[in-house]
Amino acid sequence: MDGYFDAVLGDEDPALAAAAQAHIGFDLPDIGVSRAQGKLLHLLALVQRAERILEIGTFGGYSSIWLARALPPGGRLVTIEWERSFAEAAAGHLERAKVADRVEQKVGRAQDILPELAKSADQPFDLVFIDANKPDTPEYFDWALTLSRPGGVIVVDNVVLGGAVVDADNPDGGVRGMRRFHEKVAAEPRVSATTIQTVGAKGYDGFTLAVILPDPDTRSQTPDLP
Ligand code: DHB
Ligand code: MG
């Protein structure tokens, strides 16, 4: 199905296609987002009129390109990657996609870089995309909240993990991280969120969309029924 939609909607240029192949050079599985998901990120950034975007987990820069191409003139994407070789590959892909001037790559531990960002002029962000090491997702979500403006949007990848997320006894660090993430979202009065399951070229997974409410009192959207 993704192949069909990619062909019929096809808006992936050679620079995106090259970034989509990044995993091959590292002998890794195809861990980037799909074209359809990349385009969704691009559209969410457009709907949000995002001028400042934060991405945690650059990998080969594929999602970075989709996000950066949604920015207006003067807009900025800050993208964090722990693995230097991934960041170097991404730099080439961002250059080829002609978005390097809008993207600030930060290489290192997100746990170290995020507190620095909190003191910088890059924030607050309009949109944050979390797609990094799965066990630490709840902590990245905390930072995304800290670094976002009211009305900001937080998108999180790999929140379903093939359905494993329903299993409370699963010992996998990623599964435990995504369960802890959902519990945190549920307990957080500042956000309204939903998790959508996805199936496609990257298998069975899902993403969470969370909006930071301008006023926490508006969280309850259930009308008073007679
Ligand atoms: C995998 C998929 C992802 O989207 C990701 O961010 C990390 C790993 C995977 O399929 O292993
Ligand atoms: Mg992912």
Side-chain angles (χ1 to χ4, degrees), residues 124-187:
F125 293 97
D126 306 304
L127 189 151
V128 181
F129 178 48
I130 302 173
D131 189 16
N133 53 317
K134 310 312 166 192
D136 291 330
T137 300
E139 285 65 46
Y140 298 153
F141 177 71
D142 281 336
W143 278 109
L145 274 175
T146 300
L147 295 169
S148 295
R149 67 165 170 84
V153 165
I154 301 170
V155 186
V156 185
D157 193 28
N158 309 114
V159 298
V160 171
L161 296 170
V165 75
V166 294
D167 180 4
D169 299 324
N170 193 314
D172 178 76
V175 173
R176 295 173 71 91
M178 290 311 175
R179 289 183 63 85
R180 207 155 55 79
F181 161 68
H182 279 100
E183 287 153 19
K184 192 179 271 288
V185 167

Side-chain angles (χ1 to χ4, degrees), residues 29-33 131-132 134 157-158 202 205:
D30 190 2
I31 62 173
V33 302
D131 189 16
K134 310 312 166 192
D157 193 28
N158 309 114
K202 306 299 171 110
D205 215 319

